[in-house]
């Protein structure tokens, strides 16, 4: 299983939705880190701890965008991505964005 | 023989009386102690919920100011909002896992899902009476009400 630690492999200050919003946007994280890891096959573990928090725009673009922009199926993503966080609410929020993007109730 | 028996019975009754007295004293102490502990726990929870409510109102004010003005210090406000929301998340988890989760996610989304951390050129300014700003107020109120309801359902 591939492990991605956002705070060490991307930024302690992830912020913004699209690339024009800043250097550590959700779009950049999705396109450069998440999508390639998922396309390589197998499950992906994402460690959310260690950052200064997450804006919803970052999370929605980074994870909901995998369905919208990269064509992943929401059901598959929910099975393949394992989230690790000391704040379970972030995990619920992200799963909500993936479900919304895939129109899953 | 009956005299000895009588004496033994009297002695036992005396001892029994002491045992009952001690039992009642200890039982009383345990009950009072538990009531005090429960009162303290309620007080601590009340204070924690009050601090979360107060933080929520502060975040609401910051969020409204952020989205309704074109302040040049928006990056500091963005950071402040994210850190404060994260603090609320940790406090809620401390009370109970998934405590008011839905209401908090909706409140967070109202402030940080759209037009947030968007860079100076991409930012929009919303009117104070707009649906966007009213949604921040509404979700903040929903979170505070949910906190109150949870407190009363727990105690």
């Amino acid at each position: 299983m591939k492990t991605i630690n956002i705070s060490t492999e991307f930024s302690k200050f992830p912020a913004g939705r699209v690339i024009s919003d800043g250097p550590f946007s959700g779009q950049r994280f999705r396109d450069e880190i998440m999508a390639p890891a998922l396309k390589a096959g197998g499950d992906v573990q994402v460690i959310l701890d260690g950052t200064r928090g997450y804006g919803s725009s970052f999370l929605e673009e980074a994870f909901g965008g995998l369905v919208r922009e990269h064509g992943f199926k929401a059901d598959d993503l929910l099975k393949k991505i394992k989230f690790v966080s000391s704040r379970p609410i972030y995990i619920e929020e992200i799963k909500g964005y993936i479900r919304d993007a895939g129109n899953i109730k | 023989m009956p005299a000895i028996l009588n004496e033994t019975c009297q002695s036992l009754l005396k001892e029994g009386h002491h045992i009952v007295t001690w039992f009642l004293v200890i039982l009383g102490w345990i009950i009072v102690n538990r009531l005090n502990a429960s009162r303290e726990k309620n007080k601590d929870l009340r204070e924690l919920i009050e601090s979360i409510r107060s933080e929520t109102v502060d975040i609401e004010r910051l969020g409204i100011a952020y989205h309704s003005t074109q302040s040049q210090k928006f990056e500091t406000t963005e950071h402040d909002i994210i850190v404060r929301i994260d603090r609320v998340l940790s406090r809620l988890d401390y009370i109970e896992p998934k405590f008011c989760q839905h209401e908090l996610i909706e409140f967070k989304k109202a402030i940080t899902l759209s037009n947030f951390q968007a860079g100076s050129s991409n930012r929009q300014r919303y009117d104070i009476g707009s649906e966007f700003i009213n949604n921040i107020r509404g979700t903040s109120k929903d979170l505070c009400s949910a906190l109150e309801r949870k407190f009363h359902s727990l105690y």
Side-chain angles (χ1 to χ4, degrees), chain A:
Chain A
M1 183 191 287
K2 161 100 175 140
T3 297
I4 296 167
N5 185 328
I6 298 182
S7 71
T8 56
E9 291 173 50
F10 187 64
S11 174
K12 279 188 193 303
F13 306 96
R17 180 180 286 275
V18 292
I19 285 171
S20 62
D21 291 341
F24 302 111
S25 65
Q27 183 188 0
R28 194 175 150 228
F29 174 74
R30 179 192 75 209
D31 293 348
E32 294 181 14
I33 297 180
M34 272 313 290
L38 287 162
K39 282 173 186 166
D43 292 350
V44 177
Q45 178 175 254
V46 179
I47 298 171
L48 299 161
D49 288 337
T51 69
R52 297 286 171 151
Y54 297 92
S56 299
S57 55
F58 174 90
L59 295 177
E60 202 284 329
E61 193 63 37
F63 297 98
L66 288 168
V67 179
R68 269 196 317 274
E69 307 297 328
H70 288 266
F72 288 103
K73 286 187 178 165
D75 279 336
D76 292 344
L77 286 180
L78 292 169
K79 284 179 201 149
K80 284 182 84 174
I81 307 176
K82 314 283 178 224
F83 295 100
V84 177
S85 176
S86 58
R87 312 253 194 279
I89 200 166
Y90 282 132
I91 300 174
E92 275 315 302
E93 189 183 352
I94 292 169
K95 286 182 175 174
Y97 295 137
I98 295 173
R99 281 189 211 106
D100 287 349
N103 288 319
I104 300 174
K105 297 223 170 172

Side-chain angles (χ1 to χ4, degrees), chain B residues 136-154:
Chain B
I136 296 176
R137 288 198 191 99
T139 52
S140 166
K141 197 176 165 200
D142 288 346
L143 176 57
C144 291
S145 304
L147 283 166
E148 211 49 51
R149 278 198 305 277
K150 285 275 185 184
F151 177 77
H152 290 296
S153 71
L154 286 173

